[in-house]
Amino acid sequence: MTTNNPMRGLLTLTWFKTRSKVLGALAYALVLGVIYLASEIEMIQMMFFMACMIYFPLQVLAGMSENEGRWERFQVSLPIKRSYLLKAQYLSVTIAAVFGGIILTIGIGISTAINEQWFNYGFASAILSSLHLYGTAFLAIGLCFILSLFIGNFAAWIIGLLAPTLVQVLVPIIAERAGISVYVLSPSVFVGSVVIFVASYFIMKTIYEKVDF
Amino acid sequence: MSTILEVKGLNKQYKNSSFRLNDVSMSIPSGAIMGFVGENGAGKSTTIGCILNTLIKDSGTVTIFGREMTNDSTDIRDDIGVVYDTNCFPAYLTPTQIASAMRHMFSKWDDNLYLDYLKKFKLPEKQSIKAYSRGMSMKLNIAVALAHKPRLLVLDEATSGLDPIMRDEILDVFLDFVTDENKSILLSSHITSDLEKVADYITFIHDGSIVFTESKDDLIYKYGVMRCKAAQFEQLDKADILAFRKHDYQIDALINDRKTAEQKYRDIVIDNITIEEIMLMLVKGERANDNQ
């Protein structure tokens, strides 16, 4: 016989879920790393922009699209206070976002360090570019995670895609007015990123179906 | 014999839907299996949702173990095992991972019992559920529901989609479960043969309303079907008939007092009737009173 501690049980599940998502983020970064190694130096910039699209493949990896609704219904029948369920949901999202963000940051940092061009822009430019690009990624991920709590995965993903697009457009305009140059993505990179996203989605789906995380 | 579950005057209406649960009442005595039968969309899952408080009822009371079920009744839910018609666990989890979460959620979770069920059902402990067949994942859900030693087991179409051999195995587990007189099962299903095998009582729901709650033995021994020709049917006292169905050369009439009918209508063949036939007659048949 064990002591009843439902929050601990929920957090145990959260850990298993988060672990899948973090592994998913890692796999995603690896896919992009391969793209980087096989491509022109400019292609790595897609990684930043594509971060906005990371949420959906991660959801697929976590198996959420298929089973999460059923689990939501089932867990209400468990001997757990409703407030605990909500807390665990927010914790799960936050932990996943933090871990996903750390992995992305490391990936972005390594890629950026390799990219010598980055440093040729000067210190202020590097900081602004960094905020621009990192900010885009985290705004997207944060938005997707938070919005998915309220409006569902697909809608969150769409808004998560639109919001960083807006950032990508606005930051260079603001920077230009301030007289600071920042790295700006070209339309062809954007189109390329969408194509790669679709491909990476299917790669992720295949990984999820074939590999036990 | 005490009552494990009592539902009184349950009403529930969905927004933007004409369906409504209408004054549903039933009770399950301890040590009994209640078969809850009805066609798809009759209101079985809605009733179960209101019992478990996963759906908000408009009115009525649900009393489990003598106490009213509310949002905060975690101690009541600790004593209830729930199995839905599909696997409810995230598919990337393994049975071992599920146990490590569930042992903190249920006060009476028994790891040994859980492992016994996994062995009995031949479920690999380290394999993620996504690699399981439908039958295996249903068995896993049943193992989880039983491993915390509930007093009430609520099964919503838990055996549907399983092959007959697997269903038979699982029904045996249910029968074992109620050998303890303090435990009960609410078994919702439209596989009436399963209910005939294990249920002590049958509650039939149609279009959101309870049509009857009877003991299975009463249904099988008291109910019957009269095979009448048109002329014979005309001679029948319509008060004796619950429902009837017209066929090409015969009219079948459902009765609920076979003994009296056998004495009253000696020239008419009266057959035994299955739960499925009763259900069909009541849903698809015409009501004798409507024809009067």
Side-chain angles (χ1 to χ4, degrees):
Chain A
M1 196 170 286
T2 54
T3 313
N4 194 5
N5 187 350
M7 197 60 185
R8 193 171 162 193
L10 280 175
L11 289 177
T12 309
L13 274 176
T14 297
W15 158 243
F16 291 130
K17 287 181 180 186
T18 307
R19 196 175 64 171
S20 292
K21 286 184 187 176
V22 171
L23 284 166
L26 193 63
Y28 196 77
L30 284 173
V31 170
L32 292 170
V34 172
I35 293 166
Y36 167 67
L37 292 171
S39 313
E40 292 294 319
I41 203 86
E42 193 192 35
M43 289 289 280
I44 190 59
Q45 302 302 338
M46 283 183 199
M47 180 186 274
F48 311 129
F49 196 77
M50 283 173 66
C52 65
M53 304 161 184
I54 200 164
Y55 181 67
F56 191 53
L58 293 194
Q59 290 286 47
V60 173
L61 276 163
M64 295 181 91
S65 55
E66 185 199 349
N67 253 43
E68 203 65 5
R70 291 172 198 157
W71 167 246
E72 296 295 333
R73 179 179 64 153
F74 180 74
Q75 67 179 358
V76 179
S77 70
L78 295 171
I80 305 168
K81 284 182 184 168
R82 302 284 161 96
S83 59
Y84 282 11
L85 294 177
L86 202 64
K87 278 180 200 167
Q89 196 179 15
Y90 278 97
L91 269 172
S92 162
V93 166
T94 310
I95 293 169
V98 167
F99 275 86
I102 289 169
I103 284 175
L104 272 178
T105 307
I106 292 167
I108 290 167
I110 292 168
S111 309
T112 310
I114 295 167
N115 185 353
E116 287 185 357
Q117 272 186 303
W118 177 275
F119 300 106
N120 295 338
Y121 280 83
F123 185 71
S125 170
I127 294 294
L128 197 55
S129 293
S130 169
L131 280 173
H132 174 204
L133 299 170
Y134 283 48
T136 303
F138 286 111
L139 175 68
I141 294 167
L143 262 177
C144 286
F145 274 116
I146 291 164
L147 288 173
S148 68
L149 287 175
F150 304 103
I151 57 174
N153 295 341
F154 187 72
W157 174 62
I158 295 293
I159 293 172
L161 182 68
L162 291 176
T165 308
L166 203 64
V167 174
Q168 288 285 329
V169 172
L170 288 179
V171 169
I173 294 171
I174 294 163
E176 192 178 286
R177 289 197 174 178
I180 302 167
S181 63
V182 292
Y183 194 92
V184 182
L185 293 173
S186 65
S188 61
V189 170
F190 173 70
V191 174
S193 69
V194 173
V195 172
I196 292 169
F197 162 68
V198 174
S200 64
Y201 164 70
F202 285 106
I203 293 168
M204 290 299 102
K205 198 168 178 289
T206 310
I207 292 171
Y208 170 69
E209 285 166 358
K210 302 285 178 201
V211 182
D212 276 338
F213 287 103
Chain B
M1 195 183 283
S2 62
T3 303
I4 294 263
L5 168 70
E6 185 159 34
V7 178
K8 270 188 190 166
L10 194 64
N11 288 286
K12 164 82 185 168
Q13 180 145 31
Y14 291 105
K15 278 178 191 166
N16 306 320
S17 167
S18 58
F19 174 81
R20 60 171 291 141
L21 213 56
N22 192 18
D23 200 27
V24 168
S25 298
M26 67 164 119
S27 66
I28 309 178
S30 57
I33 298 180
M34 169 71 80
F36 194 30
V37 68
E39 76 272 30
N40 290 330
K44 300 190 295 291
S45 295
T46 303
T47 305
I48 287 174
C50 291
I51 289 171
L52 296 173
N53 236 31
T54 57
L55 289 174
I56 299 164
K57 56 185 183 287
D58 296 339
S59 62
T61 56
V62 175
T63 312
I64 302 178
F65 315 127
R67 290 171 52 207
E68 191 164 348
M69 179 77 151
T70 64
N71 267 355
D72 296 323
S73 308
T74 51
D75 52 337
I76 295 180
R77 283 201 286 271
D78 197 26
D79 264 337
I80 303 175
V82 181
V83 183
Y84 289 110
D85 56 345
T86 47
N87 167 46
C88 290
F89 297 107
Y92 48 86
L93 294 179
T94 65
T96 309
Q97 289 172 336
I98 289 171
S100 56
M102 292 298 156
R103 76 172 63 103
H104 301 296
M105 293 184 188
F106 291 103
S107 64
K108 287 180 283 180
W109 178 267
D110 186 335
D111 276 320
N112 293 328
L113 185 60
Y114 180 63
L115 287 175
D116 285 347
Y117 278 118
L118 291 185
K119 271 183 200 156
K120 184 175 183 168
F121 293 150
K122 298 187 182 79
L123 300 173
E125 296 164 39
K126 307 280 181 195
Q127 195 173 30
S128 62
I129 306 170
K130 68 187 173 198
Y132 276 20
S133 68
R134 179 178 159 73
M136 288 165 83
S137 53
M138 289 316 298
K139 281 177 176 179
L140 175 67
N141 280 254
I142 290 167
V144 172
L146 292 169
H148 65 85
K149 300 174 180 170
R151 286 169 62 200
L152 172 65
L153 204 53
V154 178
L155 307 145
D156 188 2
E157 302 284 0
T159 55
S160 61
L162 300 180
D163 64 64
I165 295 164
M166 227 171 239
R167 285 212 320 269
D168 197 58
E169 266 180 55
I170 286 171
L171 292 177
D172 283 344
V173 172
F174 296 159
L175 284 172
D176 272 353
F177 179 79
V178 287
T179 49
D180 180 342
E181 284 288 315
N182 293 314
K183 295 175 175 177
S184 298
I185 297 178
L186 175 61
L187 173 59
S188 149
S189 178
H190 49 233
I191 306 173
T192 50
S193 59
D194 285 356
L195 302 180
E196 269 165 19
K197 229 178 258 181
V198 297
D200 300 298
Y201 299 90
I202 303 284
T203 292
F204 176 47
I205 187 168
H206 174 56
D207 210 10
S209 300
I210 299 292
V211 179
F212 63 74
T213 297
E214 297 268 11
S215 85
K216 184 185 70 185
D217 293 342
D218 281 353
L219 272 180
I220 289 170
Y221 297 116
K222 286 188 181 172
Y223 279 61
V225 59
M226 298 170 78
R227 316 286 186 193
C228 315
K229 289 175 182 158
Q232 289 174 316
F233 182 75
E234 292 305 318
Q235 301 298 316
L236 295 180
D237 180 353
K238 298 299 182 280
D240 295 334
I241 302 169
L242 296 176
F244 66 91
R245 286 186 83 184
K246 288 180 180 170
H247 302 288
D248 288 347
Y249 303 104
Q250 178 182 292
I251 299 171
D252 290 342
L254 177 70
I255 49 165
N256 64 355
D257 189 349
R258 208 164 72 202
K259 222 172 206 176
T260 309
E262 277 167 352
Q263 288 167 353
K264 200 169 170 184
Y265 308 108
R266 290 179 185 276
D267 55 338
I268 298 176
V269 176
I270 302 176
D271 286 338
N272 292 341
I273 191 163
T274 62
I275 295 169
E276 184 168 319
E277 278 178 296
I278 295 173
M279 197 172 136
L280 280 171
M281 292 282 276
L282 289 173
V283 173
K284 298 188 86 178
E286 296 170 55
R287 297 300 163 115
N289 293 336
D290 297 345
N291 224 30
Q292 281 178 327

